[in-house]
Amino acid sequence: MEQFGIMENGYKDAMRQGRPKRVYGALLAIFVLFGVFYNKGFKAPENSTPLLIFIAVFAVVIIIAFYLLDKRLRELFESFTLTLEDQLITREQHDTATVSILRNEVTEITKDQHGAFTIKGVSKENIIKIPAQIENSEKLEQLLHIIKPIIVKSNWIFTVRELGFLAILLTAIALVEYSVNKIFIGIGAAILAIGLTYMIIHAQQDRNLDYRTKRGMWLILIAAIPAFRMIYDKLF
């Protein structure tokens, strides 16, 4: 039996690798919000003191939230353990479903440009994602290569699937926000509803996602209530 954990300072390195995706996501969110406010004729109030107080309080809340999130992500990441036995490959992680794949059921093993591995089983739910910050990665690669020849694949910052999904959602939002035709508004609303449902179901089926994040995905429905209330008002 061979067991692998996360290398020292692996969490910091993982955060540096994921920084471009977070930055681009934040820039996109800012761009969308700016577009909405600009087209709505948004104007700052004459008395800016309440607005500044709100911004300051909001900034403090965001900082605290990011600190707590970082603490939780570190605990999750550093608890990652991969065990290779004679017949079984097992991934264990705090507050996350354990994933086990029989060696003879491994269909593909890939390695990306950063050094992260992905082991796929017969079932689409049986996927083990191994971060690049795994300890003794060279030894692990040798052991995995015995199970199945490793395929090297370069991963984009955003996958084609993610970009396509985002483009569809933005199109639906544009239809709902700016169209006066009820048919187009209805189509946009249907796309949004299907998109949100897909996000929640996909998250619940992802065995590499922790339970707390899965529960948090249901909050999307609450966050979407104002949007669907606006859609109802525009349609009826």
Side-chain angles (χ1 to χ4, degrees):
M1 184 182 76
E2 297 281 353
Q3 195 168 69
F4 300 84
I6 298 298
M7 67 172 64
E8 187 177 356
N9 295 323
Y11 177 74
K12 290 182 179 179
D13 185 62
M15 290 299 100
R16 283 194 295 268
Q17 278 190 11
R19 189 176 299 160
K21 192 168 186 175
R22 296 195 301 274
V23 170
Y24 289 138
L27 289 175
L28 178 62
I30 292 171
F31 175 78
V32 171
L33 288 173
F34 176 79
V36 171
F37 283 130
Y38 180 79
N39 285 286
K40 285 289 186 180
F42 175 78
K43 293 181 180 179
E46 293 183 4
N47 182 9
S48 58
T49 301
L51 179 62
L52 292 175
I53 293 174
F54 171 78
I55 292 173
V57 172
F58 184 73
V60 171
V61 171
I62 291 296
I63 290 171
I64 294 174
F66 268 101
Y67 170 77
L68 295 175
L69 178 62
D70 181 76
K71 185 178 179 181
R72 185 171 70 87
L73 290 178
R74 179 185 290 274
E75 181 182 14
L76 283 171
F77 189 81
E78 293 182 345
S79 67
F80 182 98
T81 303
L82 183 75
T83 305
L84 274 64
E85 299 178 88
D86 291 339
Q87 302 297 327
L88 200 65
I89 305 170
T90 303
R91 191 273 292 141
E92 296 174 289
Q93 198 166 11
H94 173 70
D95 196 39
T96 308
T98 298
V99 180
S100 296
I101 304 176
L102 289 170
R103 283 176 177 253
N104 58 9
E105 291 185 354
V106 173
T107 58
E108 183 183 72
I109 301 177
T110 61
K111 179 183 179 182
D112 69 14
Q113 70 271 31
H114 302 297
F117 299 95
T118 300
I119 305 173
K120 295 183 180 180
V122 176
S123 170
K124 66 178 182 179
E125 286 83 21
N126 263 18
I127 296 177
I128 294 177
K129 297 179 180 179
I130 307 170
Q133 295 73 27
I134 195 77
E135 63 181 354
N136 299 323
S137 59
E138 292 182 0
K139 181 180 181 180
L140 174 61
E141 184 170 357
Q142 292 173 359
L143 294 173
L144 292 178
H145 189 76
I146 295 173
I147 300 170
K148 204 83 172 176
I150 296 173
I151 302 170
V152 179
K153 291 184 178 180
S154 295
N155 290 333
W156 296 358
I157 293 176
F158 290 98
T159 65
V160 175
R161 183 179 180 178
E162 288 172 339
L163 289 174
F165 183 71
L166 183 61
I168 291 172
L169 283 185
L170 290 177
T171 302
I173 292 171
L175 286 174
V176 169
E177 182 72 18
Y178 303 112
S179 178
V180 294
N181 187 307
K182 290 188 176 182
I183 294 177
F184 289 151
I185 295 172
I187 292 173
I191 293 173
L192 283 176
I194 293 171
L196 293 177
T197 302
Y198 169 80
M199 287 173 60
I200 293 171
I201 293 176
H202 181 70
Q204 304 310 311
Q205 293 177 340
D206 189 348
R207 298 180 69 189
N208 288 281
L209 204 61
D210 63 280
Y211 294 125
R212 185 171 177 178
T213 300
K214 288 184 178 185
R215 292 192 297 269
M217 290 297 294
W218 291 103
L219 295 176
I220 291 177
L221 297 177
I222 298 176
I225 289 175
F228 283 101
R229 176 62 186 272
M230 180 192 71
I231 292 170
Y232 178 85
D233 291 338
K234 294 184 76 171
L235 288 175
F236 305 102

